[in-house]
């Protein structure tokens, strides 16, 4: 059986792992860089160093592919990692193309971390897919902090999102793109705040399809054997494992919200 590692700054990457565990049969390692989360407002040099250290560690643990289940890490480090390792590095980028393929006449709101929004990779993506200038970019860094605190809904989350969405006439938009894996935890609140005419689009399904294609994996669910690490430390504490399991349960519910 193949060993696939999922890397994120924190618990956002669990949304990609959750999708994988439903769709493919592999041995999974999940690595959250708990000591350094959040990445989204840090200097690129620091992020690159953290990601390289983590991928070195995962390579030593026998990873046959690493999924950067983090748009921010992909934006900063994917290209460099691909030059360094001979196993597949599967990255993620905000699904702006998918949103425009579904509806090419209305506007699209791409949300992500500040580093992803301001990155070179984003500029290239927009230049390639947004010929009609329909895409707006919105950074939502506090959602990462809420997620890491386990505050997935409630008044603080709602007030923050309402404030951030207020400048947009949402009736002009066909979709909100979740360009940060942490944002998947907030799909229920977002669904309540957005007009019905807008859909929520993330890149998880496409990422797992790409992983299956690259590693020649059958698209069928397996035993869901998962080993968890927090910044190179294996997670064995029962309470922590329960926290991760509860996150996965929430994400399973969120996956169905479109
Ligand atoms: N989950 C990450 C992403 O997809 C980054 C969150 C952060 O650490 O700021 O961009």
């Amino acid at each position: 059986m193949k060993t696939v590692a999922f890397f994120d700054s924190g618990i956002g990457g669990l949304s990609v792992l959750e999708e994988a565990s439903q769709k493919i049969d592999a041995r999974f390692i999940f690595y959250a860089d708990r000591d350094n989360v959040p990445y989204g407002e840090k200097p690129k040099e620091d992020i690159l160093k953290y990601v390289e250290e983590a991928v070195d560690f995962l390579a030593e643990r026998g990873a046959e592919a690493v999924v950067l289940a983090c748009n921010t890490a992909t934006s900063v480090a994917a290209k460099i990692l691909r030059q360094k390792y001979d196993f597949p590095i599967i990255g993620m980028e905000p699904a702006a193309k998918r949103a425009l393929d579904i509806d090419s006449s209305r506007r699209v709101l791409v949300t992500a971390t500040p580093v992803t929004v301001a990155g070179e990779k984003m500029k290239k993506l927009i230049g390639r897919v947004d010929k009609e200038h329909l895409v707006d970019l919105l950074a939502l860094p506090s959602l990462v902090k809420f997620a890491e605190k386990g505050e997935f809904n409630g008044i603080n989350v709602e007030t923050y999102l309402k404030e951030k969405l207020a400048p947009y006439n949402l009736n002009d938009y066909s979709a909100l793109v979740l360009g940060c894996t942490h944002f998947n935890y907030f799909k229920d609140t977002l669904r309540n705040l957005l007009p019905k005419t807008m859909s929520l689009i993330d890149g998880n399904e496409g990422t797992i399809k790409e992983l299956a294609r690259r590693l020649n994996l059958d698209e069928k669910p397996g035993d869901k054997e998962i080993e968890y690490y927090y910044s190179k430390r294996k997670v064995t504490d029962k309470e922590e494992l329960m926290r991760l399991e509860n996150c996965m349960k929430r994400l399973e519910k969120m996956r169905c919200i479109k």
Side-chain angles (χ1 to χ4, degrees):
M1 194 184 295
K2 292 258 164 69
T3 301
V4 182
F6 289 76
F7 167 83
D8 185 29
S9 59
I11 57 168
L14 290 175
S15 66
V16 193
L17 174 66
E18 198 277 323
E19 175 88 28
S21 71
Q22 304 289 339
K23 302 263 171 81
I24 55 173
D25 192 10
R27 199 184 135 241
F28 297 121
I29 301 177
F30 183 79
Y31 185 110
D33 193 4
R34 195 152 194 208
D35 294 353
N36 299 305
V37 69
Y39 281 5
E41 292 172 291
K42 290 206 164 78
K44 280 197 300 199
E45 301 68 33
D46 292 359
I47 299 172
L48 179 60
K49 185 173 130 282
Y50 302 146
V51 181
E52 279 193 297
E53 264 175 35
V55 176
D56 279 345
F57 177 86
L58 293 167
E60 280 164 26
R61 294 269 153 329
E64 288 160 272
V66 173
V67 178
L68 297 177
C70 176
N71 295 262
T72 311
T74 304
S75 160
V76 172
K79 216 168 152 187
I80 295 162
L81 294 174
R82 286 186 186 123
Q83 287 160 2
K84 187 166 163 190
Y85 297 100
D86 48 17
F87 52 74
I89 303 282
I90 315 288
M92 296 190 77
E93 72 178 359
K97 179 175 185 316
R98 207 176 132 221
L100 289 168
D101 283 347
I102 295 169
D103 188 327
S104 59
S105 59
R106 285 182 295 157
R107 303 197 66 77
V108 168
L109 187 59
V110 172
T111 62
T113 66
V115 167
T116 305
V117 164
E120 212 33 57
K121 202 168 188 299
M122 180 65 91
K123 269 197 206 97
K124 283 194 187 139
L125 172 70
I126 297 302
R128 204 170 63 239
V129 305
D130 186 22
K131 302 286 182 218
E132 306 295 328
H133 306 294
L134 292 171
V135 173
D136 290 309
L137 302 174
L138 172 63
L140 295 173
S142 295
L143 285 189
V144 178
K145 291 173 196 149
F146 284 129
E148 290 296 325
K149 280 194 286 182
E151 195 171 342
F152 299 130
N153 45 33
I155 189 73
N156 296 334
V157 171
E158 252 173 64
T159 308
Y160 174 69
L161 282 172
K162 273 188 192 154
E163 219 176 272
K164 288 288 180 181
L165 294 170
Y168 302 91
N169 183 0
L170 297 175
N171 292 317
D172 294 344
Y173 290 74
S174 67
L176 182 143
V177 171
L178 303 161
C180 166
T181 51
H182 279 79
F183 297 176
N184 287 276
Y185 288 98
F186 305 96
K187 276 179 152 183
D188 50 357
T189 302
L190 282 164
R191 190 61 283 165
N192 286 336
L193 294 177
L194 299 176
K196 296 256 175 313
T197 45
M198 248 179 120
S199 54
L200 293 169
I201 298 183
D202 66 60
N204 290 354
E205 209 180 320
T207 303
I208 298 313
K209 275 205 163 37
E210 173 67 2
L211 171 68
R213 192 186 66 78
R214 293 287 297 279
L215 286 193
N216 236 329
L217 299 169
D218 286 338
E219 292 200 37
K220 62 167 174 67
D223 288 346
K224 304 190 173 57
E225 187 193 328
I226 307 172
E227 222 169 78
Y228 294 97
Y229 290 88
Y230 284 160
S231 305
K232 300 187 193 170
R233 300 178 300 276
K234 187 164 179 181
V235 183
T236 51
D237 182 74
K238 279 214 178 78
E239 249 173 58
E240 277 305 321
L241 289 167
M242 185 67 85
R243 171 182 175 246
L244 293 166
E245 206 177 292
N246 286 334
C247 286
M248 292 286 263
K249 279 189 194 142
R250 174 162 183 85
L251 290 165
E252 195 177 344
K253 280 193 208 131
M254 295 300 107
R255 182 154 50 85
C256 308
I257 302 175
K258 304 283 177 206

